[in-house]
Amino acid sequence: MRLLVTGGCGFIGTNFVYMMLRKHPDMVIVNLDKLTYAGNRFNLLPIENEFGGTRYHFVHGDIANAELVAHIITEHKIDAVVNFAAESHVDRSIADCNPFILTNVLGTQVLLDTARRLGLPKFVHVSTDEVYGTLGPTGKFTEETPLAPNSPYSASKASADMLCRAFFETYDFPVTITRCSNNYGPFQFPEKLIPLMIMKASRGESLPVYGDGMNVRDWIYVTDHCRGVELTLLKGKPGQAYNFGGNAEKPNIEVVKTILSALGQPETLINYVKDRPGHDRRYAMDYSMAARELGFEPEYTFERGIAETLEWYKSNEAWMEQVQSGSYRTFMDKWYGERQ
Ligand code: NAD
Ligand code: TYD
């Protein structure tokens, strides 16, 4: 299979490229990435060294560039697209929604349109549980749950999902959607809860917990999500959306305390700050359709996943330093400055 992976220099894309090239010796991957603050070509240096120019090709560019996308698909004889590329952080979408619309909505439309025009037989669009909105204390999201996004980020992802649906219904274009819960693991940018708390705790800095810390997320180790995307690519039904979850619902404060305890740091570092506007209270995924139709089951418990994640960040302090560019610092300083 000759795959166009978009956003392959981000957190999940990086893990996906490693997994697919090692697992499928016949696979060729072209990685189209704009290298925003969240994209890091250095993540895939071992892959460039081992497979560069043969089974792996990197293209620096924007998914919203129709000419470039068409060129890649024809030049590399691509037969499937997996679209990870996105602006992915809720707090940034609250500060400025514009790049979210340009990449997540317009970019997805360009990819869909170009792939359809060139007759591609397979397209996997990577979406999120956040398109369903929020849950009360009980129940789980199923694929039948109506979309009700609450943040500009989730609204942009839901818009892309609607375009995918429309391309299937209108043009019979074979697009399949994955909707997954919160990922964690190696290569996650230190603005999301788990790597941010690991970074701050290991430096003895205070940990900003939004609101009462009782918002619940269903945590999935990143390689379990990558397997879900792989199964969708190989066995997913066109026009279908599949939910993926990690069987690990946790309130944020519990995650934060687990990290502090593992790093031998005191809970006095916890700093409750002003809540995120429109903060979804609880996410939980019913992934029984993916289990039934694709044979998906998460392999990692949260205990194993967080232990491996802590170990990875400990061994990769240089990576943490490297990804902290000026733009990241500016955003974080402003965001937390306003929330103290
Ligand atoms: P990320 O922010 O770590 O990486 C995004 C990547 O996309 C970066 O490499 C960036 O450079 C690239 N990119 C951004 N705009 C682009 C553009 N216009 N053209 C080409 N490349 C562009 O994100 P992530 O956490 O790896 O998430 C990947 C996908 O999975 C996203 O679509 C996200 O919505 C979805 N998702 C993420 C999670 C999670 O917990 N992180 C959960 C469910 C779904
Ligand atoms: P995040 O990692 O941003 O993922 P998402 O908003 O997509 O779920 O946040 C996970 C949870 O952690 C969410 O409830 C918000 C909370 N949170 C904090 O309490 N403090 C923080 O500094 C961050 C980044 C998140």
Side-chain angles (χ1 to χ4, degrees):
M1 188 182 277
R2 302 180 67 86
L3 209 55
L4 170 57
V5 171
T6 71
C9 294
F11 162 46
I12 305 171
T14 292
N15 283 281
F16 184 75
V17 170
Y18 273 108
M19 191 185 90
M20 294 303 269
L21 285 178
R22 295 207 166 132
K23 227 170 140 175
H24 301 277
D26 56 338
M27 189 166 277
V28 173
I29 290 183
V30 180
N31 173 12
L32 170 61
D33 198 298
K34 189 176 167 184
L35 299 179
T36 66
Y37 77 94
N40 185 4
R41 194 174 169 177
F42 183 73
N43 290 354
L44 289 165
L45 205 57
I47 291 290
E48 294 212 20
N49 289 337
E50 195 176 345
F51 302 117
T54 54
R55 295 181 51 217
Y56 176 76
H57 306 267
F58 174 70
V59 181
H60 183 197
D62 194 327
I63 57 165
N65 180 340
E67 217 176 296
L68 177 63
V69 172
H71 174 77
I72 293 169
I73 291 175
T74 42
E75 177 83 8
H76 290 276
K77 301 185 173 57
I78 295 296
D79 39 38
V81 174
V82 179
N83 182 28
F84 288 102
E87 289 293 335
S88 67
H89 191 41
V90 172
D91 294 331
R92 284 180 190 262
S93 80
I94 294 168
D96 179 10
C97 174
N98 197 47
F100 288 74
I101 302 302
L102 294 180
T103 289
N104 302 2
V105 187
L106 184 65
T108 302
Q109 176 261 319
V110 168
L111 276 180
L112 286 167
D113 228 15
T114 312
R116 178 185 74 85
R117 210 163 34 77
L118 296 172
L120 247 71
K122 197 158 274 191
F123 191 115
V124 175
H125 176 69
V126 179
S127 185
T128 164
D129 58 353
E130 302 191 28
V131 298
Y132 296 123
T134 188
L135 289 165
T138 58
K140 293 186 175 193
F141 295 130
T142 73
E143 290 83 356
E144 301 302 314
T145 305
L147 303 196
N150 291 319
S151 72
Y153 163 68
S154 54
S156 70
K157 294 297 287 186
S159 306
D161 286 17
M162 289 302 193
L163 282 170
C164 291
R165 177 193 153 85
F167 268 64
F168 175 72
E169 295 294 335
T170 306
Y171 307 113
D172 210 16
F173 180 66
V175 48
T176 309
I177 297 173
T178 66
R179 295 190 182 126
C180 188
S181 58
N182 285 63
N183 287 220
Y184 67 104
F187 298 107
Q188 188 167 30
F189 196 84
E191 63 182 354
K192 305 279 172 31
L193 182 74
I194 288 183
L196 182 76
M197 297 301 159
I198 293 175
M199 183 182 76
K200 287 186 173 291
S202 58
R203 294 175 179 174
E205 294 172 10
S206 79
L207 313 189
V209 172
Y210 298 166
D212 62 1
M214 289 306 290
N215 297 65
V216 172
R217 298 294 183 261
D218 175 2
W219 294 98
I220 184 170
Y221 193 68
V222 63
T223 52
D224 279 331
H225 180 199
C226 289
R227 245 180 343 95
V229 175
E230 176 195 26
L231 288 166
T232 306
L233 179 69
L234 302 178
K235 302 209 262 182
K237 272 207 309 252
Q240 185 65 57
Y242 293 98
N243 283 356
F244 296 94
N247 272 339
E249 277 189 60
K250 308 248 172 254
N252 296 333
I253 194 64
E254 190 183 319
V255 173
V256 169
K257 286 182 178 174
T258 302
I259 292 170
L260 283 169
S261 148
L263 294 174
Q265 294 284 27
E267 290 185 7
T268 48
L269 288 179
I270 294 170
N271 179 22
Y272 289 95
V273 298
K274 196 169 137 204
D275 208 355
R276 172 190 278 172
H279 195 176
D280 287 333
R281 191 64 175 168
R282 177 172 164 263
Y283 303 143
M285 287 304 249
D286 176 341
Y287 62 82
S288 52
M289 184 189 286
R292 207 170 48 244
E293 294 191 7
L294 308 176
F296 171 80
E297 203 57 52
E299 283 175 358
Y300 274 75
T301 59
F302 185 74
E303 291 65 33
R304 178 179 164 209
I306 196 74
E308 289 191 18
T309 303
L310 282 155
E311 190 50 44
W312 189 87
Y313 280 95
K314 197 172 136 200
S315 322
N316 288 279
E317 273 171 25
W319 181 89
M320 193 68 107
E321 293 300 328
Q322 191 212 6
V323 298
Q324 293 196 59
S325 68
S327 71
Y328 163 75
R329 278 237 172 265
T330 309
F331 173 79
M332 297 303 267
D333 290 348
K334 184 167 181 300
W335 177 258
Y336 291 116
E338 285 166 1
R339 313 192 81 68
Q340 298 305 315

